[in-house]
């Protein structure tokens, strides 16, 4: 009888302890679940906030480029050179990114791609032309293509650029072998001239076409 009571006492305590254990475990699991859920919610809010900021920046960029009024007789100050076919200018006090029409230079700044052959040379040539980083502002004249879109998918102003002395930068970069002729979609204003300039550079083995 004494043994039976003792046994039942031990079983009762074991069950009670087991019950308390699972009760505590359930509380812990509940707390962890709440924490994880809260973490996901906060992360979602953070991502949503970041996405909203990115969209606002993109809209602002589009608005600036689209609103930019380009006077073909005016010189615009260069603020930065991105690579061999892209630079930034000030238009009405706003910084606008300009992508040169009808040409394409090897990639150097796209994080998705490795630096391409002759890309650094093309970028260096553009910086030399525009004297980027030198004392005092450098300036260019800009004209838009009358029959093409004003901006590209990256919200850059599409333009032809000229130095103050009249040098046609787009054509120069192709003719000297720093860029290829580039047609996106339908024909553009100087397509024929740029194709001829590329052929000349190839025939002479300049830049990209060095044998």
């Amino acid at each position: 009888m004494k043994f039976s009571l003792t046994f039942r006492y031990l079983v009762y305590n074991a069950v009670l302890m087991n019950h308390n254990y699972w009760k505590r475990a359930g509380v812990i699991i509940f707390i962890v679940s709440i924490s994880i859920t809260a973490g996901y919610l906060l992360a979602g809010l953070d991502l949503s906030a970041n996405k909203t900021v990115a969209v606002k920046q993109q809209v602002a960029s589009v608005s600036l480029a689209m609103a930019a009024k380009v006077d073909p007789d005016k010189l615009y100050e260069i603020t930065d050179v991105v690579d061999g076919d892209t630079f930034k200018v000030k238009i009405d006090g706003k910084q606008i990114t300009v992508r040169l029409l009808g040409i394409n230079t090897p990639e150097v700044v796209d994080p998705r791609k490795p630096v391409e052959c002759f890309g650094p040379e093309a970028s260096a040539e553009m910086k030399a032309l525009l004297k980027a980083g030198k004392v005092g502002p450098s300036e260019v004249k800009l004209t838009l293509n009358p029959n093409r879109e004003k901006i590209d998918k990256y919200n850059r102003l599409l333009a032809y650029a000229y130095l103050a002395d009249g040098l046609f930068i787009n054509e120069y970069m192709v003719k000297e072998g720093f860029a290829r002729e580039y047609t996106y979609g339908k024909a553009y204003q100087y397509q024929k001239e740029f194709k001829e300039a590329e052929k000349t550079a190839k025939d002479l083995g300049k830049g990209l076409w060095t044998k």
Side-chain angles (χ1 to χ4, degrees):
M1 183 69 179
K2 185 176 181 181
F3 171 78
S4 177
L5 289 173
T6 302
F7 177 75
R8 278 186 290 176
Y9 174 77
L10 290 173
V11 170
Y12 172 78
N13 276 283
V15 170
L16 182 63
M17 289 176 65
N18 191 48
H19 173 74
N20 290 336
Y21 168 79
W22 285 111
K23 186 176 180 180
R24 288 195 298 270
V27 171
I28 293 171
I29 291 170
F30 176 75
I31 293 172
V32 170
S33 299
I34 291 295
S35 300
I36 292 173
T37 302
Y40 276 118
L41 287 173
L42 290 173
L45 289 173
D46 185 53
L47 288 173
S48 178
N50 289 338
K51 187 175 181 180
T52 300
V53 170
V55 169
K56 286 182 178 179
Q57 289 175 340
Q58 185 175 21
V59 170
S61 177
V62 173
S63 299
L64 283 175
M66 284 298 293
K69 298 185 182 301
V70 177
D71 182 344
D73 297 319
K74 184 177 179 179
L75 286 166
Y76 295 98
E77 180 185 341
I78 298 292
T79 59
D80 188 28
V81 172
V82 178
D83 57 22
D85 54 36
T86 308
F87 54 83
K88 297 180 181 182
V89 299
K90 273 189 180 179
I91 300 179
D92 296 330
K94 305 291 192 304
Q95 182 169 266
I96 305 293
T97 300
V98 175
R99 173 63 163 81
L100 294 177
L101 265 168
I103 76 169
N104 190 46
T105 59
E107 190 58 60
V108 293
V109 295
D110 191 336
R112 302 166 301 177
K113 301 177 182 177
V115 173
E116 296 177 342
C117 180
F118 217 73
E121 290 85 348
S123 294
E125 184 65 17
M126 183 59 70
K127 289 179 180 178
L129 280 176
L130 302 181
K131 300 179 175 60
K134 302 292 184 182
V135 176
S138 296
E139 298 174 320
V140 293
K141 288 184 178 181
L142 300 172
T143 61
L144 307 181
N145 194 89
N147 301 316
R148 292 299 302 268
E149 58 274 17
K150 186 176 181 180
I151 63 173
D152 67 5
K153 64 181 180 180
Y154 301 110
N155 311 320
R156 300 174 299 188
L157 188 69
L158 298 171
Y160 302 111
Y162 302 81
L163 294 181
D165 63 8
L167 178 70
F168 189 7
I169 297 174
N170 307 53
E171 186 178 43
Y172 169 86
M173 292 295 285
V174 177
K175 186 181 292 185
E176 295 303 314
F178 292 104
R180 295 178 174 86
E181 183 279 330
Y182 179 64
T183 299
Y184 180 77
K186 60 184 180 180
Y188 56 91
Q189 187 175 4
Y190 294 105
Q191 185 184 57
K192 180 181 177 182
E193 289 83 350
F194 291 0
K195 284 183 177 295
E196 290 176 354
E198 181 179 273
K199 184 178 183 304
T200 298
K202 283 182 178 179
D203 292 343
L204 296 176
K206 289 187 173 181
L208 284 162
W209 316 111
T210 301
K211 298 177 181 178

